[in-house]
Amino acid sequence: MTRVFSGIQPTGHLTLGNYLGAMRRWAEVDQHRADSLFCVVDLHALTMDHDPARVRRLSRQTATLLLAAGLDPEVCTVFLQSHVDEHTRLSYLLECVATDGEMRRMIQYKEKAAKERDRGGSVRLSLLTYPVLMAADILAYGTDEVPVGEDQAQHVELTRDLAVRFNQRYGQAFVVPRATIPQVAARVMNFQDPTRKMGKSDDSGAGVVYLLDEPDVVRKKVLRAVTDSGRDVVYDRAERPGLANLLDVLAACTGGNPESLADVYDSYGSLKKDTAEAVMEVLRPVQARHRELCADPAYVEGVLRDGAEKARALARPTVDTAYRAIGLLPPVAEPSLSAAR
């Protein structure tokens, strides 16, 4: 059976973009068609300046929202990255295969490092090397497919390169995975700046719809979405990005086609109104389920405990194989009591 792995960082409150671009597909498609693992990659949240209490709080919230979005622990595996030591064990081995040049060519590293320097901060080494940890996340499980947004496709290509290089140098240890990118709403854009992705860590939040936003807040954000010059409603990502973003979101929420939906509307106002209603309807069951799960924290803790145990059992044989292949001695077993006698 095909194995799927994907993760999400607890670096901010989850957004409509996270849901339409990834989480809904995980719940509706991936967990049912494959042996699927979905991970809150909390170690990645440490690559930038952070508040430890906030990371813990967002890690729990992210896991809860994954379940609220429809991930079923009876069908797939949901866990926290830091609960499975094999991720960091394998990451160091892959650092011994990766090169400095590869790391510095990563687009996200360049962008985040520049932003950190502009703030007057220092760039952490973990920001440079985190794509290797991401590769370890994927390779530890013999992953075949990695559902990602377009902005993460470069990291999956790096993962493929490291897997091939390791296998050629030290022997077959890893499955070489491939990225799968959703065709519709793979990248929901910020409603106030449709040239930027709708991100969890947006400073203002004015153009970001969060999964736990109240309905009135959702409506206001969508109705205030930036559009483009002109009065006609057409779908053109290059020339009319604001309008295209609204049509993409409406299409993703209703199962329609953005080009076809453009023909239905003759004004921006009616399009915004219908998009706001569609977004609120999509979020309603997720928010209701989230409230139920928050009232039963022991259930969520149990899911994460069982998920980590299952993930650990899946990852350990692969990581142990990689340790032997690269030249490390296995641990010396303690003598049994009968042998000692």
Side-chain angles (χ1 to χ4, degrees):
M1 191 175 188
T2 299
R3 181 162 291 165
V4 167
F5 175 94
S6 201
I8 192 164
Q9 293 190 40
T11 50
H13 298 289
L14 296 185
T15 72
L16 178 68
N18 296 129
Y19 181 72
L20 295 180
M23 295 164 61
R24 185 172 66 174
R25 173 178 161 165
W26 296 351
E28 294 181 354
V29 179
D30 290 327
Q31 70 170 337
H32 299 293
R33 71 175 180 83
D35 179 11
S36 300
L37 299 99
F38 301 105
C39 180
V40 179
V41 286
D42 49 349
L43 293 174
H44 291 303
L46 311 184
T47 59
M48 305 289 283
D49 188 34
H50 64 277
D51 173 14
R54 185 171 186 266
V55 171
R56 286 191 291 269
R57 184 171 65 253
L58 288 175
S59 295
R60 177 181 290 275
Q61 183 185 91
T62 300
T64 304
L65 279 168
L66 288 177
L67 298 175
L71 292 187
D72 183 352
E74 298 297 321
V75 176
C76 66
T77 305
V78 181
F79 64 105
L80 292 185
Q81 178 191 31
S82 63
H83 291 179
V84 181
D85 293 343
E86 278 64 30
H87 292 252
T88 49
R89 287 183 62 207
L90 182 54
S91 182
Y92 181 73
L93 295 196
L94 296 178
E95 284 186 15
C96 296
V97 176
T99 67
D100 176 76
E102 285 175 315
M103 297 301 98
R104 296 188 186 278
R105 284 195 296 271
M106 293 291 106
I107 295 171
Q108 287 213 345
Y109 168 72
K110 293 179 181 179
E111 293 176 348
K112 291 182 178 180
K115 185 176 181 180
E116 188 64 21
R117 293 189 187 102
D118 290 343
R119 292 176 55 238
S122 56
V123 179
R124 300 183 181 190
L125 178 61
S126 56
L127 182 63
L128 179 66
T129 60
Y130 104 86
V132 178
L133 177 56
M134 180 176 172
D137 299 337
I138 296 166
L139 296 179
Y141 297 101
T143 301
D144 298 296
E145 295 182 8
V146 189
V148 292
E150 293 174 353
D151 58 326
Q152 292 291 334
Q154 186 186 32
H155 291 160
V156 180
E157 283 305 308
L158 173 70
T159 301
R160 290 171 54 84
D161 291 343
L162 295 179
V164 169
R165 191 178 306 155
F166 190 103
N167 289 346
Q168 289 176 342
R169 289 181 181 175
Y170 305 113
Q172 191 69 28
F174 302 120
V175 173
V176 180
R178 61 185 179 274
T180 56
I181 300 175
Q183 295 302 307
V184 178
R187 202 172 191 190
V188 176
M189 311 307 280
N190 187 295
F191 281 127
Q192 289 301 308
D193 182 357
T195 64
R196 292 194 298 119
K197 186 180 73 166
M198 185 179 287
K200 300 188 295 292
S201 54
D202 185 272
D203 293 333
S204 68
V208 179
V209 172
Y210 297 103
L211 294 189
L212 297 180
D213 276 347
E214 294 292 335
D216 286 347
V217 174
V218 173
R219 183 181 289 106
K220 288 178 182 177
K221 288 181 177 179
V222 178
L223 293 180
R224 293 173 180 173
V226 169
T227 49
D228 316 283
S229 59
R231 294 180 178 275
D232 55 326
V233 178
V234 295
Y235 183 77
D236 187 334
R237 272 188 171 273
E239 299 297 327
R240 311 282 285 278
L243 195 55
N245 189 39
L246 286 167
L247 289 166
D248 278 335
V249 170
L250 180 59
C253 289
T254 61
N257 176 277
E259 290 92 343
S260 300
L261 285 170
D263 296 333
V264 174
Y265 294 93
D266 55 12
S267 73
Y268 291 173
S270 58
L271 171 61
K272 286 183 175 182
K273 180 177 179 296
D274 284 357
T275 302
E277 293 297 327
V279 170
M280 289 187 291
E281 183 60 25
V282 161
L283 295 185
R284 181 184 56 76
V286 176
Q287 293 179 350
R289 180 58 178 153
H290 179 264
R291 288 191 293 270
E292 293 175 359
L293 291 168
C294 286
D296 189 6
Y299 172 76
V300 177
E301 291 172 1
V303 168
L304 295 179
R305 181 184 61 248
D306 294 345
E309 182 178 346
K310 182 179 176 182
R312 199 176 300 118
L314 289 172
R316 184 165 294 167
T318 297
V319 177
D320 286 348
T321 296
Y323 264 62
R324 290 192 299 271
I326 205 170
L328 300 176
L329 284 172
V332 178
E334 290 288 339
S336 65
L337 186 60
S338 59
R341 289 174 180 172

